[in-house]
Amino acid sequence: MEIRIRKTQHPQPKPEDPRKLGFGTVFTDHMFTMDYDPQQGWHDAAIVPLEEIAIHPGAAVFHYGAEVFEGLKAYRTDDGSVQLFRPADNMQRMRNSAERIQLPDFDPDFLLKALLRLVELDQDWVPTTPGASLYIRPVEFCTDIDLGLHAISRARMMILLSPVGSYLSGGLKPVNILIEDTDVRAVRGGTGYAKCGGNYAAANRAAAKAERRGFDQVLWLDGVHRQYIEEVGGMNVMFKIKGKIVTPALTGSVLPGITRRSCIQLLRDKGYEVEERLISVDEVMASLESGTMEEAWGCGTAAVISPIGSFAYQDRQFTVNNREIGPCAQDLYDTLTGIQWGRRTDPYGWIVKVPKP
Ligand SMILES: *Cc1c(COP(=O)(O)O)cnc(C)c1O
């Protein structure tokens, strides 16, 4: 399929101070879009000026939440080139998410090609400020005009680009976590492993409660027993207990993070023992109380590594590592960001270069 390209006649000024960008409110000049229907399959693939789109108010996405998305970044290296981190993994995960929601499948190589073409066109928007990057948001949603509950037949795919500041403007600052004991994000057999908007809608109430009470993030427990650790907000979670790294197994209700997968590989290659298994909140609280929990951190594309400074559960609260960043979290952060920004060699083949214009 050809990708039609229509360039903007009105390029927008680039943000002056990328440190003030925040996350996801500024967008570049162009976006990618394509449509699906059963007769034509995917068609009308185009890179066009970023503009408002007209969608019928009866479209199923507004009523039944048929939507999946991805999140990855383009990084500016010291030599001025632009590169991506494991983008094929995002394409594959998006197919898995779409399959769960029964949105139409797509050719991952084609979508990656479109994504690279879009980033290439808007590459002047990739910030040069340390820690800042260009966030890439592919999204697929159902455009059937139908309030009846029918199988999905029409969909749209879009890719948006948003220059973002460093998620952690004050450096790696440990966050305070509230372990949620009432609401659940996902259950096994549900959509937890899919990156879909509905999971975030389900998380809103607990996130608002945590924020009101002065916490940074929610840590989710499993939906059946309210006992096993799942993940934190939009990040996977890892603990260092008695020298070993422990992280929840991918049981179906946990999002299979690409940062998680990369951390596990890096940790094993650095000689750590990494266990992917069920971890109960009782085990976490006991290891905090006895002091055997040496470090804890969240990991995801947005923040890379987010050290955890404290956990609160019901009426108890414990700090981790004196609310300081531990050596393991710091080392992971340095290694990952080093590879992503091209300051360290990439022995894994994780980096994909964006062609120069
Ligand atoms: C995207 C996401 C993650 C992290 O995945 P990465 O591929 O590492 O960015 C973790 N949990 C949830 C719920 C997510 O949506």
Side-chain angles (χ1 to χ4, degrees), residues 154-334:
R154 292 165 168 270
R156 176 165 297 179
M157 177 81 75
M158 300 191 306
I159 304 174
L160 309 176
L161 304 178
S162 170
V164 296
S166 172
Y167 208 73
L168 314 138
S169 36
L172 282 179
K173 196 169 135 301
V175 294
N176 299 313
I177 301 289
L178 178 62
I179 303 180
E180 171 62 36
D181 65 351
T182 310
D183 286 359
V184 296
R185 187 190 84 98
V187 290
R188 231 178 276 182
T191 56
Y193 71 87
K195 212 168 171 75
C196 66
N199 290 338
Y200 280 80
N204 281 344
R205 185 169 67 178
K209 180 174 84 181
E211 195 177 319
R212 268 197 314 275
R213 293 179 51 187
F215 293 94
D216 301 298
Q217 297 270 353
V218 168
L219 188 146
W220 297 102
L221 299 179
D222 79 280
V224 177
H225 308 281
R226 304 282 203 285
Q227 183 58 212
Y228 298 104
I229 304 291
E230 300 225 307
E231 52 185 314
V232 269
M235 290 183 286
N236 294 108
V237 64
M238 297 186 169
F239 306 96
K240 182 159 174 271
I241 302 174
K242 289 193 216 157
K244 268 197 261 184
I245 312 297
V246 191
T247 191
L250 300 177
T251 50
S253 46
V254 174
L255 201 287
I258 294 162
T259 318
R260 173 188 183 279
R261 186 183 308 157
S262 308
C263 284
I264 291 173
Q265 170 118 43
L266 290 171
L267 287 162
R268 289 195 172 134
D269 291 355
K270 287 172 196 287
Y272 286 100
E273 198 177 319
V274 182
E275 292 179 349
E276 297 177 71
R277 61 167 170 87
L278 293 179
I279 310 154
S280 70
V281 65
D282 293 342
E283 177 183 348
V284 166
M285 295 312 279
S287 68
L288 285 162
E289 193 162 21
S290 67
T292 52
M293 172 144 356
E294 293 151 18
E295 294 184 45
W297 61 86
C299 58
T301 297
V304 194
I305 299 291
S306 184
I308 295 173
S310 73
F311 288 100
Y313 178 57
Q314 295 171 343
D315 51 7
R316 293 191 295 163
Q317 182 162 11
F318 293 105
T319 60
V320 188
N321 193 34
N322 263 326
R323 294 185 197 275
E324 283 165 30
I325 302 141
C328 193
Q330 183 72 54
D331 185 24
L332 273 178
Y333 179 82
D334 293 343

Side-chain angles (χ1 to χ4, degrees), residues 40 42 53 57 70 77 80 84 117 136 143 152 154 168 171 185 208 236 281 287 289 291 315 335 339 351:
Q40 305 176 78
W42 286 107
I53 56 171
E70 268 304 326
T77 65
L84 307 176
R117 189 71 195 79
I136 306 169
T143 52
I152 290 171
R154 292 165 168 270
L168 314 138
R185 187 190 84 98
N236 294 108
V281 65
S287 68
E289 193 162 21
D315 51 7
T335 309
I339 292 173
I351 292 300

